[in-house]
Each structure stands twice: as structure tokens, then as C-alpha cells.
Amino acid sequence: MTFKQGIFYQIYPRSFKDANGDGIGDIKGIISKLDYLLQLGVNYIWLSPVYASPNVDFGYDISDYFSINPEYGTMADMDKLIAEGKKRGIYFVMDLVMNHTSSEHAWFKSSLDPNSPYRDYYFHRPGKGNKLPNNWTSFFGEKAWSKNADGTYYLHLFAQNQPDLNWDHPMMYEEFKKIILFWLNKGIKGFRCDVVNVMCKTDLENGKNRLFLKGLEKYQSTPKNHMYLKRIHKELIEPNGAFLVGETVMINTQQANDLLGTESEKELDMMFGFEHMDADQFLVKWFKRKFNPDKFNRILTKWQLELPWNANYFENHDQPRSVSRYGSLHYHKESAKMLSTVLLTLKGSPFIFQGQEIGMTNVDYKSLDEYMDIETKNIWALAKKLWIPKFYRWHMIKTVSRDNARSPMQWDAKGGFSTGKPWLRINHNQKIINVEAQTDDGNSILSYYKRLIKIRQQHPVLIDGDFVPLVIKKGVFAYHRVLGNQKILVVVNMSSKYRKFKHSMDGEILLQNYPPLEMKRLRPYEARIIEVQNDQV
Ligand code: TEU
Ligand code: CA
């Protein structure tokens, strides 16, 4: 099984399954659900960070890359998880954060001393007069510099407690080499590399004046960043038969291709682009507008045609739930199935985020203190400073907060996630939307995912075949996958209206999300996968 054939499933460990009743998901909990994932058809698990962390950004602030957060278990539990996965043919992709550490990491603590050998592992700089060292702003809507006790400042592109590492330091590669090899030796198959195209800075001068992310042009996909990715791939990843999935921010298809490297000098094996996430927003994700399916499908098509391979996703731990965002709660089942149809039939590796396979929705939180995410809280405060009225701030948080994705997995109608009080409230709709209710229901979203995954595995054309676009119009998205004399037609309606489809839909229906009536019109959120006969190719 290569990463091209594999079905990927992302686990956000804090919210997946709690085995000891403290309300926090853990590694033993994951072990107890491996058979569930096996039945679903999963081959690779991307595990969001389980390393030691003070949890300011829930694991993306790492204080020790060689140990497990005790809330999640022990290294022995982790070894067992990897071994139990292997027994079932399920392999792990670890999250790897190379841009920053936690401010609680031993390197950072030591670096506060100007004479420490770790001083230059980070960017400590004096201010300019009574101003910050430069005008950069962070991804979380703050200034990118915070003050040290001695009056100097340190750089952080994310939260204050996530100081950026200095990749100009010759030891940085050596340190991460140790980390990467440590985990590869445990039998994991690859890494999902967090914000991997911002880790090398050209200089620390002021950035151009922009509304968001001032400084971006000083650190996005820099030559040195490319150089290090090539080195990591050649020296550490290839010799171990592993692969890299990059989380690459603010890039177009050209930059994405550059980040794949060349045949002889590879960088990332595939990456998560963000452009399709723009189809329902103005400039930044906090300003939502009506979802424009044609825009979404045009962007997907562009990435399909311009990149040899994509890491396809509609959801992760940073994004709202796709059925709330691109589908419809009124047509919950139909639209969740329709979205999965596209996700699993595009060319590339499909990534399913926990709960997506049962159509989990955005959460019904009632007040700000139900949210736990630092970004959500920062943006609330920033919006308040900008005099954005409360009703609109609330609208922003409700529709965009990362906690929409992070609420605990809905295993059954009651306490399936934990016997204790969950660290983040579970959506009330778990009474209706849950794994238990969908397991034996042949018509459920979960059953549809299982069938879809089987169809993908049984049809090489869905893995290696070319992507050939056919229609992008009024929410209708149709394309062929073609390999030799095999041809599959995928037709979906991403709208709540009936739509005409004037092309032929002749052939054998492999899967559809409605009863097989009314062949001419597409019903709201209808999806069909049709195997086109040889003679029609
Ligand atoms: O995310 C980076 C990123 O650019 C965004 O998705 C970010 O989470 C935010 O929504 C920007 O507005 C990665 C991780 O996936 C995220 O969970 C971390 O918080 C972040 O890096 C920092 O490590
Ligand atoms: Ca627990």
C-alpha cells in the first residue's frame, strides 16, 4: 500500500475517545477504536500532536518532541498503538511542527539567557526605540513579537507561547533529524508537517503594508525553506520509505508545484492547499459569504489539473464542519454523502476528519466561554477592538471557530466519548447523529462512506486515472476519471435546487445517494458514480 492508494483519517486525539473517564481523549481510547477504523476502510491515520505540551494551542505548542503528553498516555501506550495499528494494516502519520515550539520547551527557556548556546535557536531582538523590532503580525491576529523579561522581544508567527525557531542556526536541522529518525524508527510512515512553508525567514525587516499577515513575503516558501525540505526528504524520508504531507499556507498552484520539488530532488509528497477554502469567504476566513459551489469546484479543478497529486480534504481540526459549510442541514444525509462522493473520487489522497464520516455538524455553543480555542478567543478580542458589533462577532465565531471541528466524537446518543465531563462540550445533536445509530443502518452516511471506500479500492481508475472536467455550472460538478479503457463519470449537484444535466449518464451506477428514480434531473445534493461502458470511451 502506497500513500497514493491509501485512505487517510485524521484523529484529533483530545476529542476522539476517552478511555479513563477524565473527559480528555487519549491513546488507549484510539486503540479501542482501531477496529472501527478498520471496518471503515482506513489505511493511514494522521495523528494530530500527542507530544508533551502545555496546550495553549492544544498540542501545536510542543514542549518535548520525544515524549507523550501524560493526558494522552505514555510512550508505551504509543508503541502499543503503532503495533496494534500494524496488525490491522493501519499506519501512522505523525504531526510535526518545525516552525515553532512551545515557550515551555527547554530550548526556549534556556534561550532567555543571552549567553546560552540556545540563544539563537529563536529570534530574540531588541526593540527599535520604544517600538517592536518590525511590523509583522501573527496568524492569530496579534503582533508577531512579545517581550522577554530583559526587555528584548521574540518572534512568534502564531500564539505568544509559540516562539518561532531560527532555521538559520546550523543545529536546527540536526535537532529535527533526531526527532524525525526517532519517530521513523518506531515504524511510523510519514509526517504531516505543520505550516511547513513559513519556517525560514529571509530577513527581519518590515513587511509590506497588508491588512493581514504583514511580513508574509519575508518568510513564505523562501529558497532556504526549499533547500531544507529537499534535504529532509533525501536524507531522512526517502531512505526510510516514508512520505511527507505538507500543510502549506497561502499558496497558489505554481508555488505548490515548487514545493513538490523535482523527481531527483523531492520536497513534499503531497500537500494541503487552502485555496478551495476561499469559496465562502472575503479575504480572510473570518468574513464569510454565501458558499459559491462553482467557485469551489473551479478551484478544485484547477488544483486537480495543475498538480500531479493532491492531499484532498474538506475538513480538519482548523475548519468548520463541511456539511454545515458546503452542504445543508435540511438535506443532511444527502449533502454529506454528496461531499464524500467528491472527496473520494478526486485524484489524490483523501483525508477524512474524525466525525466527517457520520456527518457531524458545526456545534450549538451558546456563549463564548463554551469555546476553548485560543484563536477563537483572540479573534473575538481583536474584533471587539475593531468595533465589530457583538451580533456579528458572534456570527463569526459560530460559523468559523475551530472548535466546530474539535467537539468530541459522537459515538452514541449519550456518553460514548467519555464517562466523565468532556473537556469541550459535545454537540446536542449527538442524540441523532452518532456512530452507533449509523452502524447497522445501510442507508446511513457511515455506510455510504464504507461503500465509497470499497469502490475506490476496487477501481484503479479512481486512484491512477486522469481527472477530466466536464461540467461546473449552477452547483453541478461533473468529471470523468479515465485510465486506459476504464472510465468513471462522477456527477454531483452541490445545490438545494433541482438541476438539469444534459450529458449522458448511461452506464452502470456504482453508487448514488438517492433511490434510483428520475434519471434525467439531479435532485438536491444528488450524487452519482457511474462506470461508463468500454465502447462509450
Ligand atoms: O495551522 C496553520 C494555519 O495556517 C491555520 O489553519 C491556523 O490554524 C489558523 O486557522 C489561521 O487562521 C496549523 C495547525 O493546523 C493549527 O492547528 C495550529 O494552530 C497552527 O498551525 C500553529 O501550529
Ligand atoms: Ca482520558
Side-chain angles (χ1 to χ4, degrees), residues 476-513:
V476 175
F477 188 27
Y479 48 90
H480 285 112
R481 298 293 310 275
V482 186
L483 181 68
N485 62 359
Q486 294 175 52
K487 189 172 188 179
I488 281 181
L489 170 67
V490 179
V491 188
V492 305
N493 175 5
M494 280 195 192
S495 83
S496 58
K497 306 274 169 10
Y498 281 78
R499 291 287 184 233
K500 286 196 198 95
F501 185 73
K502 60 179 191 335
H503 299 266
S504 159
M505 286 195 278
D506 294 345
E508 187 200 338
I509 294 192
L510 297 178
L511 192 63
Q512 71 183 127
N513 65 345

Side-chain angles (χ1 to χ4, degrees), residues 108-144:
F108 188 75
K109 288 204 223 158
S110 171
S111 80
L112 295 175
D113 172 1
N115 301 315
S116 158
Y118 294 98
R119 181 67 171 178
D120 291 328
Y121 270 38
Y122 298 87
F123 298 98
H124 292 287
R125 293 289 183 278
K128 281 190 182 153
N130 53 9
K131 291 228 256 6
L132 300 175
N134 69 27
N135 67 352
W136 298 8
T137 50
S138 85
F139 279 76
F140 290 159
E142 307 166 300
K143 299 279 182 211

Side-chain angles (χ1 to χ4, degrees), residues 382-485:
L382 179 71
K384 201 168 169 182
K385 249 198 246 160
L386 295 174
W387 296 94
I388 294 177
K390 190 165 177 194
F391 82 90
Y392 196 78
R393 284 199 316 264
W394 186 239
H395 169 75
M396 287 164 66
I397 300 299
K398 283 287 278 188
T399 47
V400 191
S401 169
R402 306 194 295 184
D403 283 342
N404 282 311
R406 298 177 180 187
S407 69
M409 182 72 184
Q410 297 171 197
W411 291 108
D412 61 23
K414 283 207 201 82
F417 165 68
S418 171
T419 53
K421 183 171 185 279
W423 72 281
L424 178 66
R425 180 161 75 65
I426 305 187
N427 200 329
H428 285 117
N429 68 17
Q430 75 166 326
K431 286 192 201 79
I432 311 149
I433 302 172
N434 64 65
V435 171
E436 191 179 61
Q438 294 194 20
T439 301
D440 298 320
D441 172 2
N443 196 28
S444 68
I445 300 167
L446 182 60
S447 299
Y448 190 88
Y449 264 90
K450 288 183 188 164
R451 256 175 266 146
L452 194 48
I453 289 172
K454 283 218 180 76
I455 287 169
R456 187 183 160 93
Q457 308 299 41
Q458 288 160 356
H459 294 80
V461 57
L462 287 176
I463 294 162
D464 297 315
D466 289 335
F467 169 93
V468 185
L470 184 63
V471 179
I472 300 176
K473 198 179 167 186
K474 291 176 123 183
V476 175
F477 188 27
Y479 48 90
H480 285 112
R481 298 293 310 275
V482 186
L483 181 68
N485 62 359

